[in-house]
Amino acid sequence: MCKGKRDMSTLRAAAALTLAACLLTGCSNSTGTPTGSTAGTEFAIWDPYPQFDDSSDWVKLLTKCGTDAGVAVERTGYDTTDLTNKALLAAQQDNSPDVLIVDNPVVSTLADAGVLTTADELKVDTAAVSPNLLAAGQLGGKTYGIPIGANTLALYYNKKILDAAEVDPATIKDWASLTAALKKVKAAGKKGITFSAIGTEEGSFQFLPWFWGSGANLTQLDSPQGVAALELWTGWLKDGLAPNSVLNNTQTTSWQEFAAGDFAFSENGTWQLANAKKTGFEYGIIPVPSQAGGNAPAPTGGEFVTAPVQSDTGRYDTTEKLIACLTSADNAFTTDTTLSYIAATDAVQQKQVTENAELKVWVEAVQAAKGRTSDDLGTKYPKISQPLWTAFQASLSGSATPADALKAAQTTAAAATR
């Protein structure tokens, strides 16, 4: 499809949705100016890693992939939100980059706006990618791009606190055993669990393992299972097993509470591994348990490598070579190590565990994870997420019961997604 014929109102609407769909990141803003591909030997790549300069291994890989494909790569790094808006604008101007690397919830927004080619059109091989990770880039039965890797959530624990409370983390297999452990920690004079329940997408990201772990579905927020998940969080606050600060905690401030050494548990992500080593106390990691036992499906973070639509479709052969290079097993292993990601394929995941046994729990968590826009929710997800975080804020603050809060959320979400 020629970009000049796109429905521009769709592109503008998609841009508005993007801000709600993106999970907050720690990237700084880039001041670079995007440059489209202006000659047959130059291919533009835009990514959300402005923290990496030309001397970094990441940019060196991009350059090498270009050299191997016989072209010069012109790379620009943007902040995540800025990148998405720039991509939508570039599509309107028929000036899209050849390769676009974006946060996984944004893929459906761009696909819905007609910005991206499909994996089939580009002949990108996605066969080895874990289906649960690939689903975040699927919409209407089509796949748009390939994940470069993923991160997700698990529970960090303070070993000294659990030992003092006579809690064996290996016995925590479901909600009941976790809550029992929190009560033993409180009885021993320490604090239970900290997490982020802030009224933003970041809070929804942290609630989803419990919501999905109950068996609930985002299309029915007020199901008995969904109510049970919110009752769990609300009960923890009422019983003093979690602090009231969770209402305003970001994932960063929640981690800071845990790193101070008084909390037994912190729900947080793969990206905190380096910080965990700096806490000064012995720690461990267990998956977020589901209500009935086993690992809960936690949401996936991480980016997809995509190919925007080009008027000159003859460029696609080279674009496919660039994507194949960036996502090859060897390159994915190096990149995912740099980004603190778990790989998107089983073979590379096993290599990661062989190199670093500490990653085993994260591989298991990613294998059980799911994308926020999965289940073909696509651009409906942000319209559901906002009522969801409004609901848990209301329940945790005591202004509504879990059932009433989720009933109101379902009414709002249903009206927004019709």
Side-chain angles (χ1 to χ4, degrees):
M1 178 175 63
C2 177
K3 284 174 288 191
K5 296 181 180 179
R6 283 201 185 95
D7 181 347
M8 297 307 163
S9 65
T10 300
L11 289 170
R12 287 191 290 272
L17 288 172
T18 297
L19 297 179
C22 293
L23 178 67
L24 297 175
T25 68
C27 300
S28 60
N29 287 325
S30 170
T31 57
T33 300
T35 302
S37 299
T38 57
T41 58
E42 287 186 352
F43 276 64
I45 298 179
W46 294 0
D47 66 49
Y49 314 127
Q51 69 271 33
F52 296 133
D53 61 23
D54 290 348
S55 66
S56 67
D57 289 341
W58 168 247
V59 177
K60 288 177 181 177
L61 172 61
L62 298 180
T63 301
K64 181 182 183 301
C65 287
T67 300
D68 291 348
V71 298
V73 164
E74 186 165 355
R75 174 260 182 177
T76 306
Y78 287 107
D79 170 80
T80 296
T81 299
D82 195 30
L83 172 62
T84 308
N85 293 332
K86 290 290 195 298
L88 287 159
L89 180 61
Q92 294 180 39
Q93 298 172 341
D94 195 14
N95 192 33
S96 293
D98 295 278
V99 176
L100 179 65
I101 303 171
V102 291
D103 194 17
N104 75 74
V106 179
V107 175
S108 59
T109 297
L110 296 179
D112 186 64
V115 174
L116 303 178
T117 63
T118 67
D120 285 343
E121 288 172 322
L122 204 65
K123 297 182 175 60
V124 171
D125 184 5
T126 62
V129 179
S130 299
N132 65 317
L133 300 183
L134 194 63
Q138 294 175 325
L139 183 69
K142 296 180 180 180
T143 300
Y144 296 86
I146 185 169
I148 201 166
N151 54 35
T152 193
L153 297 167
L155 298 181
Y156 289 83
Y157 65 83
N158 184 318
K159 187 175 185 301
K160 182 178 180 181
I161 290 178
L162 293 193
D163 286 347
E166 298 183 347
V167 171
D168 179 358
T171 64
I172 297 174
K173 301 292 186 181
D174 53 23
W175 291 1
S177 55
L178 175 58
T179 299
L182 296 178
K183 289 179 178 178
K184 292 179 73 172
V185 166
K186 182 184 178 185
K190 292 294 185 179
K191 299 176 182 179
I193 186 169
T194 180
F195 49 89
S196 170
I198 193 169
T200 66
E201 174 60 24
E202 203 162 354
S204 289
F205 189 78
Q206 291 240 317
F207 184 59
L208 283 174
W210 312 99
F211 184 81
W212 283 333
S214 71
N217 190 294
L218 286 170
T219 59
Q220 193 63 46
L221 297 179
D222 60 347
S223 68
Q225 295 89 343
V227 172
L230 188 47
E231 286 175 342
L232 179 73
W233 264 22
T234 304
W236 285 349
L237 261 68
K238 286 182 178 179
D239 295 339
L241 305 179
N244 288 326
S245 59
V246 301
L247 279 158
N248 297 308
N249 271 346
T250 64
Q251 292 180 109
T252 298
T253 57
S254 171
W255 178 261
Q256 291 167 348
E257 288 180 333
F258 176 70
D262 291 330
F263 280 90
F265 294 94
S266 170
E267 180 186 357
N268 229 294
T270 326
W271 55 88
Q272 297 292 6
L273 269 175
N275 290 327
K277 293 174 171 52
K278 301 174 184 177
T279 58
F281 55 79
E282 190 174 355
Y283 70 92
I285 305 164
I286 60 173
V288 177
S290 66
Q291 182 177 22
N295 296 355
T300 56
E303 287 77 41
F304 266 62
V305 185
T306 69
V309 173
Q310 301 292 334
S311 297
D312 179 5
T313 59
R315 302 180 68 84
Y316 290 158
D317 286 345
T318 299
T319 298
E320 187 278 330
K321 292 177 183 177
L322 293 173
I323 293 176
C325 177
L326 291 174
T327 58
S328 71
D330 288 343
N331 291 334
F333 176 78
T334 301
T335 298
D336 290 337
T337 299
T338 299
L339 298 174
S340 295
Y341 283 170
I342 298 302
T345 66
D346 181 69
V348 183
Q349 288 174 0
Q350 295 313 308
K351 184 177 180 181
Q352 288 181 304
V353 173
T354 299
E355 293 284 330
N356 181 2
E358 188 178 27
L359 294 179
K360 184 175 185 294
V361 66
W362 290 109
V363 167
E364 292 173 351
V366 164
Q367 288 173 344
K370 65 186 294 183
R372 285 161 280 174
T373 59
S374 296
D375 301 327
D376 213 28
L377 287 178
T379 55
K380 292 180 180 179
Y381 172 73
K383 301 175 184 178
I384 296 170
S385 178
Q386 185 165 357
L388 183 61
W389 80 56
T390 300
F392 60 66
Q393 281 264 306
S395 181
L396 294 176
S397 65
S399 64
T401 66
D404 288 344
L406 287 173
K407 183 178 180 180
Q410 176 58 28
T411 299
T412 301
T417 56
R418 284 198 185 106

